[in-house]
Structure formats: C-alpha cells, structure tokens
Amino acid sequence: MEEVKVLGSWPSPYGFRVQWALELKGVEYEYIDEDLFNKSDMLLKYNPVHKKIPVLVHNGKSIAESAVILEYIEETWPQNPLLPMDPYERAMARFWLNFVDNKDKAAPFVSFFIGVGEEHEKAAKEAKELLTIFEEQGLGEKKYFGGEEIGMVDLAMGWIAASLGVIEEIVDVKILDAESLPRLHAWVQNFRAYPVIKNNLPDHDKLLENYTKKREMFLASIAT
Amino acid sequence: MAEEVKLLKTWSSRFGLRVVWALKLKGIQYEAFDEDLSNKSALLLQYNPVYKKVPVLVHNGKPISESLVILEYIDETWKQNPMLPQHPLEKARQRFWAKFNDEKLLPSISGIFTKEGKEREEAVAASLENLKFVEEELKGKKFFGGEKIGLADLVFGWLANLICVFEEVLGFKIIDERFPLLLAWMKEFSQLPIIKDNWPPHDKMIIKYQEQYDKYHPAK
C-alpha cells in the first residue's frame, strides 16, 4: 500500500510543484502544511540537512529538494510523463529547471516583489528580460514548455501563472502583458485552465493578503 | 554514424573535471577545448549563449551546458558503467548530495578562501556544519555511490584535489581528523585510475590559487 505525504507551506511555489506533479499522475497523497516559523518535529526528522519544504515522504522514506522530488515522482510513477523520452530533450528540460531555480536568475523577481524606487524599476526591467527569454527560448512556438502537454518545466514556471499577477497587482506594475509577451501570456491562461491545475491554484484574495503582508514586513524591516 | 563529442572546459575547472571523469568512466572518446575565460571563444559563446560558462558538452553538434545536466545526459546516453543507481530512492539520494555540494558545501568552502574577518569565520562555521553532514552520509559506505563511484562521488570529487591546494595557500587545515570517513574517501577516490590520471597539475594549481588569494586579500 502506498503512503505518500507532502510537507509544504502555503503558498510556496516549490510545494505547489510537487502537488501538481502528483495530481497530474493521479497519485493520492496527504498534504501537511508547515508553519516555517515553528517547524514540526516531522519536518526536522524528514529533512534534517536543510529543514525546508517541500519534502515528499513515500512509505516512510523522505526526499527533499523540489527538483530531486520531481525526478523521483517521474521515475516512481511513470504514467503521464513530465519529461521527454529523448536524452537531449530531457537535458534541455533540466537546463530550464536549473535556470528557473538559479538564485542569481531569480533575484530580479525577488526585487520586483519587495523593492522600491529605482531598484524596483531596474528589477522590473530585468524581470521582463527574463520573461522574454522564457518566452523566446523556453516556450518558443510550443503550447507548453513541455510541448503539447504540461511537463516538469511548466511546473517549475508555474509560479508565474499562479502568483505573478498578484505581485503585479501589489506593486502596481505590469511586466507580463499580452501585447509584449503574447505566447507567455497565452501559456499562463492555458496553464491555469488545465483541469488538474485549475483546482490547485492559490486563492487570489488569500494570496493577495499573504503577499501584501510579506512585502510590508520586508519594507518595514529595512526601514529600521 | 560516428559519435562526435567535444568538451569545452578550462584546465582547472572543477565542474569541467567532473565531466572529464564521467566521460573517462564510460570510455567515451572526446575532444577537449580549454577555454581562456578572460577571452571566451566564439565557439563557447555560440554553444552556451545563456550563461557563457564552461563546461559545455557538444554531442554531434548539439550543446548541453550546466555540469549536473551534462552528467545526467551522459548517463542516459551511454549506458555502460552507470553513474546513477536503478532504484529511484537511491537515485534521489545521489542527486540530493550533488545539489548539496554545489549549493551549500562548495560555496561555503570557497567563502573561507575568498572572505576575511567575521565573514570568513562564518564561512568556516558553515563549512564545518556542511562537512559534518557529508561525513554522516559516508557512514557504512566506501564511496557515496556505494561499492563503486557514482554521481555524488564525481561531484564531491573536487575536494580530493582542491582542498589540499586551499589548505596550502591558506596555511591551515579545512578537512582535519574530525572527518575520518571523508579523509578516507578522498584517499580512495584519488587513487582510482580515471581520477588519478586526470588531476590538473598540483604546482600549477598552487600558483593559480595563490594568485587568486592575493587578489582577494591584497596586502595593505
């Protein structure tokens, strides 16, 4: 009998990726939400090295690091594959997964979320350049990053579809618009509408509240 | 069709070295190009436009960059002497530790080398904590991959060569007798033919890293 648990922390996009992967493959699991300011014994036991979410626990064995978890899910439940068969295509997918998770590459998006003034303007410009790279080199003419169907790269990019809109609302700046990034914009609509994803997106109002608070907290902390 | 495998790297890059080891492990013939990163070749810029970094593997004209992505590609394309085990959980373990090296251990140890004062103390503390986790992972194992070397061994492999270079330049030990399993692993790993025959020359490394150290810590 399979026993699958996911430790996440709403609204972390890394947790969502893991849930989406399991949902796409029709794997039943128990979701446990962690309070990262008060980490449970379970989290500390299952991820002693990093003490972070997400963690997948499969029949008592834990796997940490979302990229590692996604590969594990893919190999353990091969139905509805999230990676292509061809090794070169797989390498390209892994390259994009790596790119999305690269801290240096993510920095402009972080500044776009919590920055102000000139720093924020610069971040918006850099973030838009990154989105352009995603559209032109990652997505190309495809419907999804994975091709005709959602793949692992779509799940990693999923945070854009799930939460960038809310961030744009809060900072009152649009960087992903239909006119300048038509294909990525269309991808967001398609991703959000995809049957399994549709029921597993963060609620707009709750996310708005959560992110507004986060931005305020950060701005307050640097003001001192 | 004849295989054409090219590897763009530098003579000292620890990321390029892990790809060299992987290719040697599988007995793959390849052509190596050592780049001068202060004067990047047109080939490098063509093959890795996003990062403009080494290593880059080019297989029959198709480029792959990012060393961990390259290692997975090599393992999936050439099945002999697998770097990853069959079982998904064991595979996950190798991948977890590979990431740990690249994202935690390597940066913390580099920090000891590049920083000074309080920041260096923090880097030392972080490195010791990270090394403790790695030591723990080696319990009951000859290599990270078990009886034979695997992906994680190739990724941690830089320790077996570069740590003594750092220690010589810094004048103090980073991996000492507190880490007996790690020291034993470094010795075993270094003695493997494919590893031993492909170390960058020690003296050249000392010169290079002494120069780098002096750049980070200019005499006042």
Side-chain angles (χ1 to χ4, degrees), chain A residues 6-50:
Chain A
V6 174
L7 278 64
S9 186
W10 193 91
S12 161
Y14 298 99
F16 268 105
R17 290 181 189 180
V18 174
Q19 289 183 265
W20 289 331
L22 293 169
E23 299 274 349
L24 284 166
K25 288 173 181 279
V27 177
E28 284 195 26
Y29 64 96
E30 184 193 350
Y31 175 76
I32 297 155
D33 203 68
E34 284 283 327
D35 173 3
L36 296 180
F37 294 104
N38 188 18
K39 294 176 182 179
S40 72
D41 290 339
M42 195 193 285
L43 175 58
L44 301 176
K45 166 179 148 187
Y46 284 135
N47 192 0
V49 174
H50 299 294

mmCIF file of all heavy atoms in Angstrom, chain A residues 6-50:
data_model
loop_
_atom_site.group_PDB
_atom_site.id
_atom_site.type_symbol
_atom_site.label_atom_id
_atom_site.label_comp_id
_atom_site.label_asym_id
_atom_site.label_seq_id
_atom_site.Cartn_x
_atom_site.Cartn_y
_atom_site.Cartn_z
ATOM 1 N N VAL A 6 3.034 14.940 1.517
ATOM 2 C CA VAL A 6 3.788 16.095 1.041
ATOM 3 C C VAL A 6 3.803 17.124 2.157
ATOM 4 O O VAL A 6 2.748 17.526 2.651
ATOM 5 C CB VAL A 6 3.134 16.725 -0.216
ATOM 6 C CG1 VAL A 6 3.857 18.007 -0.609
ATOM 7 C CG2 VAL A 6 3.128 15.739 -1.370
ATOM 8 N N LEU A 7 5.007 17.543 2.552
ATOM 9 C CA LEU A 7 5.119 18.636 3.508
ATOM 10 C C LEU A 7 5.373 19.899 2.689
ATOM 11 O O LEU A 7 6.343 19.978 1.948
ATOM 12 C CB LEU A 7 6.294 18.411 4.462
ATOM 13 C CG LEU A 7 6.069 17.499 5.668
ATOM 14 C CD1 LEU A 7 5.778 16.069 5.257
ATOM 15 C CD2 LEU A 7 7.276 17.525 6.594
ATOM 16 N N GLY A 8 4.470 20.868 2.827
ATOM 17 C CA GLY A 8 4.626 22.122 2.104
ATOM 18 C C GLY A 8 4.335 23.267 3.039
ATOM 19 O O GLY A 8 4.142 23.063 4.251
ATOM 20 N N SER A 9 4.306 24.472 2.497
ATOM 21 C CA SER A 9 3.941 25.628 3.310
ATOM 22 C C SER A 9 3.302 26.648 2.393
ATOM 23 O O SER A 9 3.991 27.322 1.627
ATOM 24 C CB SER A 9 5.173 26.202 4.005
ATOM 25 O OG SER A 9 4.794 27.231 4.895
ATOM 26 N N TRP A 10 1.983 26.708 2.458
ATOM 27 C CA TRP A 10 1.237 27.611 1.585
ATOM 28 C C TRP A 10 1.746 29.025 1.735
ATOM 29 O O TRP A 10 1.943 29.502 2.862
ATOM 30 C CB TRP A 10 -0.260 27.531 1.944
ATOM 31 C CG TRP A 10 -1.149 28.162 0.932
ATOM 32 C CD1 TRP A 10 -1.740 27.571 -0.143
ATOM 33 C CD2 TRP A 10 -1.542 29.541 0.887
ATOM 34 N NE1 TRP A 10 -2.484 28.488 -0.854
ATOM 35 C CE2 TRP A 10 -2.374 29.705 -0.232
ATOM 36 C CE3 TRP A 10 -1.256 30.644 1.682
ATOM 37 C CZ2 TRP A 10 -2.930 30.933 -0.586
ATOM 38 C CZ3 TRP A 10 -1.802 31.869 1.340
ATOM 39 C CH2 TRP A 10 -2.635 32.013 0.212
ATOM 40 N N PRO A 11 1.949 29.819 0.697
ATOM 41 C CA PRO A 11 1.712 29.499 -0.709
ATOM 42 C C PRO A 11 2.993 29.161 -1.495
ATOM 43 O O PRO A 11 3.087 29.487 -2.658
ATOM 44 C CB PRO A 11 1.134 30.825 -1.207
ATOM 45 C CG PRO A 11 1.876 31.880 -0.410
ATOM 46 C CD PRO A 11 2.273 31.247 0.893
ATOM 47 N N SER A 12 3.949 28.499 -0.843
ATOM 48 C CA SER A 12 5.230 28.256 -1.512
ATOM 49 C C SER A 12 5.063 27.577 -2.872
ATOM 50 O O SER A 12 4.460 26.510 -2.962
ATOM 51 C CB SER A 12 6.129 27.371 -0.651
ATOM 52 O OG SER A 12 7.135 26.787 -1.440
ATOM 53 N N PRO A 13 5.600 28.189 -3.924
ATOM 54 C CA PRO A 13 5.500 27.586 -5.256
ATOM 55 C C PRO A 13 6.255 26.256 -5.353
ATOM 56 O O PRO A 13 5.906 25.408 -6.176
ATOM 57 C CB PRO A 13 6.131 28.627 -6.183
ATOM 58 C CG PRO A 13 6.885 29.564 -5.306
ATOM 59 C CD PRO A 13 6.312 29.487 -3.950
ATOM 60 N N TYR A 14 7.268 26.058 -4.509
ATOM 61 C CA TYR A 14 8.017 24.791 -4.543
ATOM 62 C C TYR A 14 7.132 23.654 -4.063
ATOM 63 O O TYR A 14 7.194 22.540 -4.582
ATOM 64 C CB TYR A 14 9.288 24.894 -3.707
ATOM 65 C CG TYR A 14 10.240 25.937 -4.223
ATOM 66 C CD1 TYR A 14 10.298 27.203 -3.642
ATOM 67 C CD2 TYR A 14 11.061 25.681 -5.321
ATOM 68 C CE1 TYR A 14 11.140 28.181 -4.147
ATOM 69 C CE2 TYR A 14 11.917 26.650 -5.817
ATOM 70 C CZ TYR A 14 11.942 27.900 -5.225
ATOM 71 O OH TYR A 14 12.788 28.868 -5.727
ATOM 72 N N GLY A 15 6.309 23.943 -3.073
ATOM 73 C CA GLY A 15 5.350 22.947 -2.592
ATOM 74 C C GLY A 15 4.297 22.651 -3.648
ATOM 75 O O GLY A 15 3.935 21.505 -3.888
ATOM 76 N N PHE A 16 3.837 23.708 -4.293
ATOM 77 C CA PHE A 16 2.823 23.535 -5.331
ATOM 78 C C PHE A 16 3.314 22.638 -6.457
ATOM 79 O O PHE A 16 2.577 21.797 -6.970
ATOM 80 C CB PHE A 16 2.396 24.892 -5.907
ATOM 81 C CG PHE A 16 1.204 25.489 -5.203
ATOM 82 C CD1 PHE A 16 1.356 26.550 -4.327
ATOM 83 C CD2 PHE A 16 -0.070 24.973 -5.413
ATOM 84 C CE1 PHE A 16 0.246 27.090 -3.663
ATOM 85 C CE2 PHE A 16 -1.175 25.512 -4.750
ATOM 86 C CZ PHE A 16 -1.013 26.568 -3.881
ATOM 87 N N ARG A 17 4.591 22.821 -6.844
ATOM 88 C CA ARG A 17 5.134 21.991 -7.931
ATOM 89 C C ARG A 17 4.957 20.513 -7.647
ATOM 90 O O ARG A 17 4.630 19.726 -8.523
ATOM 91 C CB ARG A 17 6.649 22.158 -8.032
ATOM 92 C CG ARG A 17 7.158 23.416 -8.498
ATOM 93 C CD ARG A 17 8.671 23.278 -8.512
ATOM 94 N NE ARG A 17 9.243 24.577 -8.769
ATOM 95 C CZ ARG A 17 10.525 24.813 -8.852
ATOM 96 N NH1 ARG A 17 11.375 23.822 -8.692
ATOM 97 N NH2 ARG A 17 10.958 26.017 -9.076
ATOM 98 N N VAL A 18 5.285 20.153 -6.407
ATOM 99 C CA VAL A 18 5.234 18.739 -6.022
ATOM 100 C C VAL A 18 3.783 18.245 -6.050
ATOM 101 O O VAL A 18 3.477 17.181 -6.578
ATOM 102 C CB VAL A 18 5.865 18.533 -4.632
ATOM 103 C CG1 VAL A 18 5.686 17.099 -4.155
ATOM 104 C CG2 VAL A 18 7.348 18.895 -4.665
ATOM 105 N N GLN A 19 2.887 19.052 -5.506
ATOM 106 C CA GLN A 19 1.473 18.671 -5.521
ATOM 107 C C GLN A 19 0.959 18.530 -6.945
ATOM 108 O O GLN A 19 0.273 17.561 -7.280
ATOM 109 C CB GLN A 19 0.635 19.714 -4.783
ATOM 110 C CG GLN A 19 0.850 19.704 -3.283
ATOM 111 C CD GLN A 19 -0.051 20.703 -2.589
ATOM 112 O OE1 GLN A 19 0.335 21.825 -2.309
ATOM 113 N NE2 GLN A 19 -1.263 20.295 -2.312
ATOM 114 N N TRP A 20 1.298 19.507 -7.803
ATOM 115 C CA TRP A 20 0.859 19.425 -9.194
ATOM 116 C C TRP A 20 1.350 18.140 -9.861
ATOM 117 O O TRP A 20 0.616 17.479 -10.584
ATOM 118 C CB TRP A 20 1.381 20.636 -9.999
ATOM 119 C CG TRP A 20 0.712 21.937 -9.662
ATOM 120 C CD1 TRP A 20 -0.571 22.118 -9.212
ATOM 121 C CD2 TRP A 20 1.283 23.233 -9.759
ATOM 122 N NE1 TRP A 20 -0.819 23.455 -9.016
ATOM 123 C CE2 TRP A 20 0.299 24.160 -9.354
ATOM 124 C CE3 TRP A 20 2.533 23.731 -10.170
ATOM 125 C CZ2 TRP A 20 0.522 25.543 -9.323
ATOM 126 C CZ3 TRP A 20 2.748 25.098 -10.155
ATOM 127 C CH2 TRP A 20 1.753 25.996 -9.726
ATOM 128 N N ALA A 21 2.612 17.789 -9.616
ATOM 129 C CA ALA A 21 3.183 16.583 -10.237
ATOM 130 C C ALA A 21 2.387 15.341 -9.815
ATOM 131 O O ALA A 21 2.047 14.495 -10.636
ATOM 132 C CB ALA A 21 4.654 16.430 -9.876
ATOM 133 N N LEU A 22 2.100 15.249 -8.525
ATOM 134 C CA LEU A 22 1.356 14.092 -8.018
ATOM 135 C C LEU A 22 -0.065 14.081 -8.573
ATOM 136 O O LEU A 22 -0.586 13.039 -8.974
ATOM 137 C CB LEU A 22 1.334 14.108 -6.485
ATOM 138 C CG LEU A 22 2.689 13.884 -5.812
ATOM 139 C CD1 LEU A 22 2.598 14.179 -4.312
ATOM 140 C CD2 LEU A 22 3.192 12.462 -6.023
ATOM 141 N N GLU A 23 -0.686 15.254 -8.615
ATOM 142 C CA GLU A 23 -2.055 15.337 -9.141
ATOM 143 C C GLU A 23 -2.089 14.926 -10.609
ATOM 144 O O GLU A 23 -2.985 14.192 -11.037
ATOM 145 C CB GLU A 23 -2.583 16.783 -9.012
ATOM 146 C CG GLU A 23 -2.668 17.308 -7.593
ATOM 147 C CD GLU A 23 -3.969 16.948 -6.887
ATOM 148 O OE1 GLU A 23 -4.907 16.466 -7.566
ATOM 149 O OE2 GLU A 23 -4.040 17.133 -5.663
ATOM 150 N N LEU A 24 -1.121 15.421 -11.395
ATOM 151 C CA LEU A 24 -1.080 15.094 -12.825
ATOM 152 C C LEU A 24 -0.940 13.594 -13.042
ATOM 153 O O LEU A 24 -1.418 13.052 -14.031
ATOM 154 C CB LEU A 24 0.076 15.833 -13.511
ATOM 155 C CG LEU A 24 -0.155 17.323 -13.761
ATOM 156 C CD1 LEU A 24 1.144 18.024 -14.107
ATOM 157 C CD2 LEU A 24 -1.164 17.534 -14.891
ATOM 158 N N LYS A 25 -0.271 12.922 -12.118
ATOM 159 C CA LYS A 25 -0.066 11.477 -12.259
ATOM 160 C C LYS A 25 -1.125 10.661 -11.533
ATOM 161 O O LYS A 25 -1.066 9.433 -11.500
ATOM 162 C CB LYS A 25 1.336 11.114 -11.775
ATOM 163 C CG LYS A 25 2.402 11.592 -12.755
ATOM 164 C CD LYS A 25 3.790 11.396 -12.217
ATOM 165 C CE LYS A 25 4.831 11.888 -13.191
ATOM 166 N NZ LYS A 25 5.131 10.924 -14.260
ATOM 167 N N GLY A 26 -2.090 11.347 -10.943
ATOM 168 C CA GLY A 26 -3.169 10.646 -10.257
ATOM 169 C C GLY A 26 -2.713 9.899 -9.022
ATOM 170 O O GLY A 26 -3.259 8.854 -8.683
ATOM 171 N N VAL A 27 -1.691 10.439 -8.337
ATOM 172 C CA VAL A 27 -1.188 9.782 -7.127
ATOM 173 C C VAL A 27 -1.858 10.413 -5.913
ATOM 174 O O VAL A 27 -1.813 11.631 -5.737
ATOM 175 C CB VAL A 27 0.348 9.950 -7.006
ATOM 176 C CG1 VAL A 27 0.855 9.323 -5.706
ATOM 177 C CG2 VAL A 27 1.050 9.349 -8.213
ATOM 178 N N GLU A 28 -2.458 9.578 -5.068
ATOM 179 C CA GLU A 28 -3.096 10.106 -3.859
ATOM 180 C C GLU A 28 -2.050 10.413 -2.803
ATOM 181 O O GLU A 28 -1.085 9.659 -2.650
ATOM 182 C CB GLU A 28 -4.085 9.078 -3.312
ATOM 183 C CG GLU A 28 -5.337 9.049 -4.143
ATOM 184 C CD GLU A 28 -6.473 8.319 -3.425
ATOM 185 O OE1 GLU A 28 -6.481 8.276 -2.184
ATOM 186 O OE2 GLU A 28 -7.338 7.808 -4.144
ATOM 187 N N TYR A 29 -2.243 11.528 -2.104
ATOM 188 C CA TYR A 29 -1.269 11.902 -1.091
ATOM 189 C C TYR A 29 -1.947 12.702 -0.001
ATOM 190 O O TYR A 29 -3.042 13.235 -0.185
ATOM 191 C CB TYR A 29 -0.138 12.731 -1.719
ATOM 192 C CG TYR A 29 -0.608 14.047 -2.284
ATOM 193 C CD1 TYR A 29 -0.511 15.226 -1.535
ATOM 194 C CD2 TYR A 29 -1.163 14.120 -3.556
ATOM 195 C CE1 TYR A 29 -0.958 16.435 -2.047
ATOM 196 C CE2 TYR A 29 -1.611 15.328 -4.072
ATOM 197 C CZ TYR A 29 -1.510 16.475 -3.323
ATOM 198 O OH TYR A 29 -1.957 17.674 -3.831
ATOM 199 N N GLU A 30 -1.261 12.780 1.135
ATOM 200 C CA GLU A 30 -1.735 13.602 2.240
ATOM 201 C C GLU A 30 -0.885 14.869 2.265
ATOM 202 O O GLU A 30 0.348 14.790 2.248
ATOM 203 C CB GLU A 30 -1.548 12.827 3.557
ATOM 204 C CG GLU A 30 -2.087 13.534 4.774
ATOM 205 C CD GLU A 30 -1.602 12.906 6.077
ATOM 206 O OE1 GLU A 30 -1.000 11.809 6.036
ATOM 207 O OE2 GLU A 30 -1.791 13.536 7.136
ATOM 208 N N TYR A 31 -1.529 16.019 2.287
ATOM 209 C CA TYR A 31 -0.770 17.270 2.326
ATOM 210 C C TYR A 31 -0.708 17.777 3.751
ATOM 211 O O TYR A 31 -1.719 17.852 4.452
ATOM 212 C CB TYR A 31 -1.412 18.326 1.416
ATOM 213 C CG TYR A 31 -0.733 19.678 1.523
ATOM 214 C CD1 TYR A 31 0.503 19.897 0.915
ATOM 215 C CD2 TYR A 31 -1.306 20.708 2.263
ATOM 216 C CE1 TYR A 31 1.145 21.122 1.036
ATOM 217 C CE2 TYR A 31 -0.675 21.937 2.372
ATOM 218 C CZ TYR A 31 0.551 22.138 1.760
ATOM 219 O OH TYR A 31 1.192 23.353 1.877
ATOM 220 N N ILE A 32 0.493 18.111 4.188
ATOM 221 C CA ILE A 32 0.676 18.661 5.531
ATOM 222 C C ILE A 32 1.292 20.040 5.405
ATOM 223 O O ILE A 32 2.379 20.187 4.836
ATOM 224 C CB ILE A 32 1.594 17.735 6.366
ATOM 225 C CG1 ILE A 32 0.916 16.375 6.528
ATOM 226 C CG2 ILE A 32 1.905 18.351 7.723
ATOM 227 C CD1 ILE A 32 1.856 15.232 6.766
ATOM 228 N N ASP A 33 0.606 21.050 5.925
ATOM 229 C CA ASP A 33 1.094 22.417 5.814
ATOM 230 C C ASP A 33 1.970 22.765 7.014
ATOM 231 O O ASP A 33 1.564 22.597 8.155
ATOM 232 C CB ASP A 33 -0.084 23.398 5.709
ATOM 233 C CG ASP A 33 0.323 24.695 5.050
ATOM 234 O OD1 ASP A 33 0.629 24.675 3.838
ATOM 235 O OD2 ASP A 33 0.363 25.723 5.733
ATOM 236 N N GLU A 34 3.152 23.232 6.754
ATOM 237 C CA GLU A 34 4.094 23.564 7.816
ATOM 238 C C GLU A 34 4.075 25.051 8.121
ATOM 239 O O GLU A 34 3.956 25.881 7.217
ATOM 240 C CB GLU A 34 5.520 23.189 7.380
ATOM 241 C CG GLU A 34 5.831 21.724 7.421
ATOM 242 C CD GLU A 34 6.090 21.223 8.827
ATOM 243 O OE1 GLU A 34 6.634 22.002 9.645
ATOM 244 O OE2 GLU A 34 5.755 20.058 9.105
ATOM 245 N N ASP A 35 4.258 25.374 9.389
ATOM 246 C CA ASP A 35 4.483 26.751 9.795
ATOM 247 C C ASP A 35 5.997 26.919 9.882
ATOM 248 O O ASP A 35 6.650 26.343 10.771
ATOM 249 C CB ASP A 35 3.830 27.017 11.154
ATOM 250 C CG ASP A 35 4.180 28.390 11.712
ATOM 251 O OD1 ASP A 35 4.890 29.166 11.028
ATOM 252 O OD2 ASP A 35 3.755 28.689 12.844
ATOM 253 N N LEU A 36 6.565 27.663 8.940
ATOM 254 C CA LEU A 36 8.031 27.708 8.864
ATOM 255 C C LEU A 36 8.666 28.490 10.018
ATOM 256 O O LEU A 36 9.884 28.456 10.188
ATOM 257 C CB LEU A 36 8.481 28.249 7.509
ATOM 258 C CG LEU A 36 8.086 27.341 6.341
ATOM 259 C CD1 LEU A 36 8.555 27.924 5.008
ATOM 260 C CD2 LEU A 36 8.666 25.934 6.509
ATOM 261 N N PHE A 37 7.842 29.201 10.781
ATOM 262 C CA PHE A 37 8.389 29.874 11.973
ATOM 263 C C PHE A 37 8.320 28.962 13.191
ATOM 264 O O PHE A 37 8.772 29.323 14.268
ATOM 265 C CB PHE A 37 7.624 31.176 12.233
ATOM 266 C CG PHE A 37 7.848 32.190 11.146
ATOM 267 C CD1 PHE A 37 6.873 32.445 10.188
ATOM 268 C CD2 PHE A 37 9.052 32.866 11.058
ATOM 269 C CE1 PHE A 37 7.087 33.357 9.174
ATOM 270 C CE2 PHE A 37 9.278 33.792 10.043
ATOM 271 C CZ PHE A 37 8.294 34.035 9.102
ATOM 272 N N ASN A 38 7.738 27.792 12.996
ATOM 273 C CA ASN A 38 7.564 26.851 14.095
ATOM 274 C C ASN A 38 7.578 25.445 13.495
ATOM 275 O O ASN A 38 6.561 24.756 13.434
ATOM 276 C CB ASN A 38 6.217 27.148 14.780
ATOM 277 C CG ASN A 38 6.062 26.349 16.047
ATOM 278 O OD1 ASN A 38 7.029 25.825 16.611
ATOM 279 N ND2 ASN A 38 4.825 26.221 16.507
ATOM 280 N N LYS A 39 8.781 25.046 13.054
ATOM 281 C CA LYS A 39 8.881 23.813 12.266
ATOM 282 C C LYS A 39 8.563 22.576 13.083
ATOM 283 O O LYS A 39 9.009 22.445 14.224
ATOM 284 C CB LYS A 39 10.290 23.700 11.659
ATOM 285 C CG LYS A 39 10.544 24.789 10.631
ATOM 286 C CD LYS A 39 11.961 24.783 10.067
ATOM 287 C CE LYS A 39 12.101 25.947 9.087
ATOM 288 N NZ LYS A 39 13.414 26.061 8.486
ATOM 289 N N SER A 40 7.796 21.682 12.472
ATOM 290 C CA SER A 40 7.360 20.477 13.189
ATOM 291 C C SER A 40 8.510 19.490 13.346
ATOM 292 O O SER A 40 9.494 19.535 12.592
ATOM 293 C CB SER A 40 6.233 19.795 12.414
ATOM 294 O OG SER A 40 6.761 19.181 11.256
ATOM 295 N N ASP A 41 8.361 18.593 14.331
ATOM 296 C CA ASP A 41 9.353 17.521 14.507
ATOM 297 C C ASP A 41 9.436 16.675 13.252
ATOM 298 O O ASP A 41 10.512 16.183 12.893
ATOM 299 C CB ASP A 41 8.960 16.634 15.703
ATOM 300 C CG ASP A 41 9.119 17.375 17.015
ATOM 301 O OD1 ASP A 41 9.880 18.362 17.040
ATOM 302 O OD2 ASP A 41 8.476 16.974 18.014
ATOM 303 N N MET A 42 8.294 16.526 12.593
ATOM 304 C CA MET A 42 8.244 15.713 11.375
ATOM 305 C C MET A 42 9.150 16.312 10.307
ATOM 306 O O MET A 42 9.933 15.615 9.673
ATOM 307 C CB MET A 42 6.805 15.655 10.863
ATOM 308 C CG MET A 42 6.590 14.561 9.847
ATOM 309 S SD MET A 42 5.020 14.697 8.970
ATOM 310 C CE MET A 42 3.898 14.158 10.215
ATOM 311 N N LEU A 43 9.068 17.620 10.121
ATOM 312 C CA LEU A 43 9.892 18.276 9.104
ATOM 313 C C LEU A 43 11.377 18.120 9.442
ATOM 314 O O LEU A 43 12.188 17.800 8.592
ATOM 315 C CB LEU A 43 9.520 19.760 8.979
ATOM 316 C CG LEU A 43 10.392 20.594 8.028
ATOM 317 C CD1 LEU A 43 10.377 20.022 6.614
ATOM 318 C CD2 LEU A 43 9.934 22.049 7.990
ATOM 319 N N LEU A 44 11.702 18.339 10.718
ATOM 320 C CA LEU A 44 13.101 18.247 11.137
ATOM 321 C C LEU A 44 13.627 16.829 11.001
ATOM 322 O O LEU A 44 14.794 16.614 10.703
ATOM 323 C CB LEU A 44 13.263 18.765 12.574
ATOM 324 C CG LEU A 44 12.829 20.221 12.782
ATOM 325 C CD1 LEU A 44 12.939 20.626 14.247
ATOM 326 C CD2 LEU A 44 13.654 21.171 11.914
ATOM 327 N N LYS A 45 12.726 15.863 11.194
ATOM 328 C CA LYS A 45 13.129 14.451 11.059
ATOM 329 C C LYS A 45 13.320 14.097 9.593
ATOM 330 O O LYS A 45 14.272 13.415 9.222
ATOM 331 C CB LYS A 45 12.046 13.558 11.689
ATOM 332 C CG LYS A 45 12.170 12.080 11.335
ATOM 333 C CD LYS A 45 11.084 11.268 12.019
ATOM 334 C CE LYS A 45 10.675 10.067 11.176
ATOM 335 N NZ LYS A 45 9.547 9.349 11.702
ATOM 336 N N TYR A 46 12.409 14.573 8.739
ATOM 337 C CA TYR A 46 12.445 14.171 7.329
ATOM 338 C C TYR A 46 13.384 15.002 6.471
ATOM 339 O O TYR A 46 13.746 14.596 5.387
ATOM 340 C CB TYR A 46 11.039 14.191 6.733
ATOM 341 C CG TYR A 46 10.183 13.014 7.148
ATOM 342 C CD1 TYR A 46 8.869 13.187 7.555
ATOM 343 C CD2 TYR A 46 10.696 11.722 7.135
ATOM 344 C CE1 TYR A 46 8.080 12.104 7.928
ATOM 345 C CE2 TYR A 46 9.922 10.634 7.517
ATOM 346 C CZ TYR A 46 8.618 10.834 7.911
ATOM 347 O OH TYR A 46 7.836 9.768 8.273
ATOM 348 N N ASN A 47 13.760 16.185 6.932
ATOM 349 C CA ASN A 47 14.740 16.984 6.205
ATOM 350 C C ASN A 47 15.730 17.608 7.163
ATOM 351 O O ASN A 47 15.770 18.825 7.337
ATOM 352 C CB ASN A 47 14.049 18.066 5.350
ATOM 353 C CG ASN A 47 14.999 18.726 4.366
ATOM 354 O OD1 ASN A 47 16.183 18.394 4.297
ATOM 355 N ND2 ASN A 47 14.484 19.664 3.590
ATOM 356 N N PRO A 48 16.556 16.768 7.799
ATOM 357 C CA PRO A 48 17.469 17.278 8.821
ATOM 358 C C PRO A 48 18.561 18.182 8.236
ATOM 359 O O PRO A 48 19.064 19.058 8.927
ATOM 360 C CB PRO A 48 18.094 16.007 9.414
ATOM 361 C CG PRO A 48 17.954 14.968 8.355
ATOM 362 C CD PRO A 48 16.694 15.307 7.622
ATOM 363 N N VAL A 49 18.906 17.982 6.981
ATOM 364 C CA VAL A 49 20.005 18.757 6.400
ATOM 365 C C VAL A 49 19.577 20.198 6.126
ATOM 366 O O VAL A 49 20.240 21.146 6.511
ATOM 367 C CB VAL A 49 20.529 18.092 5.110
ATOM 368 C CG1 VAL A 49 21.566 18.960 4.424
ATOM 369 C CG2 VAL A 49 21.116 16.728 5.423
ATOM 370 N N HIS A 50 18.443 20.373 5.440
ATOM 371 C CA HIS A 50 18.030 21.729 5.075
ATOM 372 C C HIS A 50 16.908 22.280 5.937
ATOM 373 O O HIS A 50 16.724 23.490 6.022
ATOM 374 C CB HIS A 50 17.567 21.765 3.610
ATOM 375 C CG HIS A 50 18.631 21.389 2.632
ATOM 376 N ND1 HIS A 50 19.752 22.143 2.439
ATOM 377 C CD2 HIS A 50 18.737 20.333 1.798
ATOM 378 C CE1 HIS A 50 20.510 21.568 1.513
ATOM 379 N NE2 HIS A 50 19.920 20.471 1.101
#
